[in-house]
Amino acid sequence: MSTRLVLHSARLLDPATGAFLGASALAVGGDGRIAALGDDREVRELAGAATTVVDLKGAVVTPGLVDGHVHPVSGAELTGGLDLSRCAGLADVREALAGEVRRLGRGEWLFAWGLDPNVFGTEPVGVAPFDAVLDGVPAFLLLFDAHSALASRRALELAGVDGPRAFDQASAEIVCDADGRPTGLLQEDAACELVERVAPRPTRAERLERLASALDGMAAAGLTGGHVMDANGDSLDLFTELDATGRLPLRLRVAPWCQPGTDASGVEELIALQGRGGDLWQVAGVKLFMDGTIDNGTAWLEKPDCHGESTHAFWPDPEAYTRIVGALHRAGVPTATHAIGDAAVRHVLDAVEKARATGGDPGVRHRVEHIETVPDDTLGRFAELGVIASMQPTHCCDFTRADHTDNWSRRLGEERAGRAWRCRDLVDSGATVVLGSDWPIAPFPPLGVLAGAVHRRPTRDLAQPPHGPGQALTALEALRGLTTGAAHAAGEERVSGRLALGHRADLTVLAADPLTTPAAELPDVPVLLTTVDGRITHRAPGL
């Protein structure tokens, strides 16, 4: 047997039990699978001349951490602009924009991302507060949810956007004032694309390098895989090129989008895409949207928000969505549906129930993404229907507040804001909960995601009270959300998510035990080593 990698003097953590294995070393065979678990002496004897041998000096090895919801291609592109995520008020935003404007050449576009609607306080979200700074400057400012953006007056002019329009996406909108003039706020992709398509784009080579850099950063943060929730444009070609040249450091499971207006032939094309891939990436599933976001009033709620918004689905005809889910289910294709509001989540669960009743493979695993607020009667249906709950706890930490003075909570009101990100209730109901970042919406380092699931406090100020502490997970439950839960969601529990013989050697090595390190300290725990198929994708200096 050829041996690719030997790790010894290690503590091997099993997320299924929360205990360390009796073994202190592991060997990886030439096929990239764990071939041996044992004591240091017997495992080191398996090393050959070409084997990489690493003394971990007591470090902790976990199954590779997997981000359950990530957008690497669009994230790499969007985060190439000005980062507004740390701006706490309008003055901060104006100052950041002014600094960027000074660096621009004449006629150049300003791109920014991460704008938090909470900076507007109780005032309407629009570009007016920045008109003086952006006078004559074409600018596109993406809000943190990536479902909405602000376009400057000049950008709107260049795009020919001068009033309202109708879109196939029911919640898409060019927001206008009482006189029908655009406020600069663009809701959902269809509206945002009107401006994006007239803005300059990076070259393909630039996009490829940004993507490679972002993925390298993910590997350095301890990620060995990601469930990619889009495949827009030439994303699949970019993955193909990185994989073919040995530059893909993560194992990626890709779900292309199915948008409103998709007809039967479009569904067949999505089915035909399944299985396309390379050594480390594969198309596996389809991503759909049932609503938008609560912060911009495009979620689908059972009762309107405080502005009378968030009253309808992303699909003009929600039953068209239901029929497509049924067709995909019968074809054996898993679905992942963005559903944030209570009505949206309920409709997805209803659609899956109907799909299962029509036949097809009962083992197909469907998912709901985000699940930000749901009533009690929804919880048990996830386990009953075998639907995966895919959640991003850092969104609760960093975009809402315990006292409900944030935009998200104000829109929902006390009762629904009190049902924020019910991770604990879903776990207790028997549902499989998968955790992720939704990068670029929130930072991708998985230890930060793990920590947020446990403490539920604002990342920037951990002295603040937690939002819904009763919904916190234990460290072990959170670790499962990044390991065994992710493996189950992918239907790969027999080959990943555990430190077991025959399992993939996708491994994350940490300087401290993630189950006993205080949650506030978890994000700072050094990631010493990351491997995919037993090949090192990150190695800390000195190891």
Side-chain angles (χ1 to χ4, degrees):
M1 178 193 76
S2 63
T3 301
R4 178 175 294 172
L5 175 70
V6 165
L7 304 179
H8 67 89
S9 303
R11 293 182 289 164
L12 307 178
L13 181 58
D14 179 9
T17 64
F20 288 105
L21 301 180
S24 61
L26 65 79
V28 180
D31 61 356
R33 304 294 180 98
I34 297 175
L37 293 163
D39 63 34
D40 289 357
R41 181 189 58 78
E42 63 185 7
V43 173
R44 288 183 69 176
E45 289 178 351
L46 300 174
T51 303
T52 300
V53 179
V54 183
D55 180 354
L56 293 182
K57 302 173 184 177
V60 175
V61 181
T62 73
L65 303 181
V66 175
D67 192 316
H69 188 121
V70 66
H71 302 271
V73 176
S74 59
E77 185 170 341
L78 294 173
T79 56
L82 175 65
D83 182 0
L84 297 175
S85 63
R86 297 188 178 276
C87 295
L90 291 174
D92 294 338
V93 178
R94 280 190 287 263
E95 182 180 357
L97 293 175
E100 190 72 3
V101 167
R102 287 193 292 270
R103 287 189 284 273
L104 294 176
R106 184 177 180 82
E108 287 187 336
W109 280 68
L110 188 157
F111 295 97
W113 61 281
L115 179 61
D116 188 341
N118 284 302
V119 302
F120 292 88
T122 58
E123 297 301 313
V125 178
V127 78
F130 315 126
D131 279 345
V133 177
L134 299 176
D135 185 27
V137 176
F140 185 81
L141 318 178
L142 192 70
L143 272 75
F144 83 86
D145 61 9
H147 281 254
S148 50
L150 293 179
S152 68
R153 309 296 178 185
R154 178 57 176 157
L156 293 171
E157 179 185 1
L158 291 171
V161 175
D162 56 8
R165 297 191 191 182
F167 300 97
D168 285 339
Q169 297 172 0
S171 50
E173 181 183 5
I174 299 169
V175 178
C176 296
D177 61 21
D179 297 321
R181 292 174 301 200
T183 66
L185 179 59
L186 307 171
Q187 306 275 46
E188 300 298 345
D189 289 335
C192 292
E193 285 171 2
L194 295 175
V195 173
E196 289 178 295
R197 67 191 182 197
V198 301
R201 300 267 297 170
T203 66
R204 187 183 188 282
E206 289 170 337
R207 293 174 61 243
L208 185 70
E209 289 308 309
R210 288 182 188 178
L211 174 59
S213 177
L215 292 171
D216 286 343
M218 292 178 187
L223 285 171
T224 64
H227 296 174
V228 178
M229 292 298 163
D230 60 55
N232 301 324
D234 60 353
S235 295
L236 302 186
D237 294 333
L238 295 177
F239 294 145
T240 298
E241 182 167 345
L242 291 179
D243 196 24
T245 56
R247 298 182 66 196
L248 190 58
L250 268 68
R251 191 184 305 279
L252 301 177
R253 178 183 175 86
V254 185
W257 285 0
C258 178
Q259 297 274 32
T262 301
D263 59 14
S265 64
V267 173
E268 288 302 317
E269 289 174 7
L270 288 167
I271 293 171
L273 264 180
Q274 303 301 306
R276 177 183 169 184
D279 289 339
L280 289 177
W281 73 275
Q282 185 178 61
V283 174
V286 169
K287 167 76 179 298
L288 304 99
F289 293 81
M290 203 64 246
D291 65 353
T293 68
I294 287 167
D295 276 292
N296 69 13
T298 59
W300 188 17
L301 299 173
E302 294 180 336
K303 295 179 181 179
D305 67 16
C306 70
H307 299 299
E309 298 177 337
S310 286
T311 58
H312 54 263
F314 188 74
W315 289 64
D317 176 10
E319 289 310 309
Y321 161 89
T322 300
R323 289 191 292 273
I324 287 177
V325 169
L328 292 169
H329 175 78
R330 290 187 292 275
V333 178
T335 63
T337 302
H338 168 122
I340 281 178
D342 45 18
V345 174
R346 190 182 302 279
H347 190 88
V348 176
L349 294 172
D350 289 345
V352 172
E353 185 171 22
K354 291 175 182 177
R356 292 199 182 285
T358 63
D361 182 356
V364 176
R365 293 172 185 172
H366 302 284
R367 306 164 48 135
V368 182
E369 308 297 316
H370 308 310
I371 317 167
E372 293 185 5
T373 179
V374 289
D376 292 344
D377 67 345
T378 309
L379 296 169
R381 298 185 68 197
F382 283 84
E384 291 168 8
L385 295 169
V387 173
I388 311 299
S390 173
M391 305 182 77
Q392 299 77 45
T394 47
H395 295 197
C396 182
C397 296
D398 292 337
F399 304 130
T400 70
R401 300 173 188 148
D403 63 4
H404 295 169
T405 58
D406 59 280
N407 179 59
W408 185 93
S409 299
R410 290 197 312 270
R411 279 183 173 269
L412 287 178
E414 284 299 311
E415 180 183 355
R416 289 180 294 191
R419 301 198 296 250
W421 285 268
R422 300 181 73 173
C423 300
R424 158 61 48 214
D425 290 340
L426 282 162
V427 167
D428 288 348
S429 74
T432 296
V433 174
V434 176
L435 301 182
S437 67
D438 198 14
W439 187 77
I441 311 307
F444 58 68
L447 293 181
V449 173
L450 197 160
V454 176
H455 64 57
R456 293 177 69 98
R457 299 173 186 269
T459 304
R460 298 174 199 154
D461 186 0
L462 295 175
Q464 294 296 314
H467 189 165
Q471 295 301 327
L473 299 180
T474 66
L476 177 57
E477 290 165 338
L479 181 62
R480 288 171 177 162
L482 295 165
T483 53
T484 56
H488 177 81
E492 297 177 339
E493 61 269 27
R494 294 184 179 179
V495 295
S496 66
R498 300 283 305 277
L499 299 180
L501 295 178
H503 275 49
R504 295 170 179 154
D506 296 355
L507 308 169
T508 303
V509 180
L510 306 172
D513 182 354
L515 303 187
T516 58
T517 300
E521 299 173 14
L522 266 174
D524 297 322
V525 170
V527 176
L528 301 180
L529 193 75
T530 313
T531 75
V532 174
D533 275 345
R535 292 189 171 92
I536 294 173
T537 56
H538 163 73
R539 185 170 184 169
L543 181 64

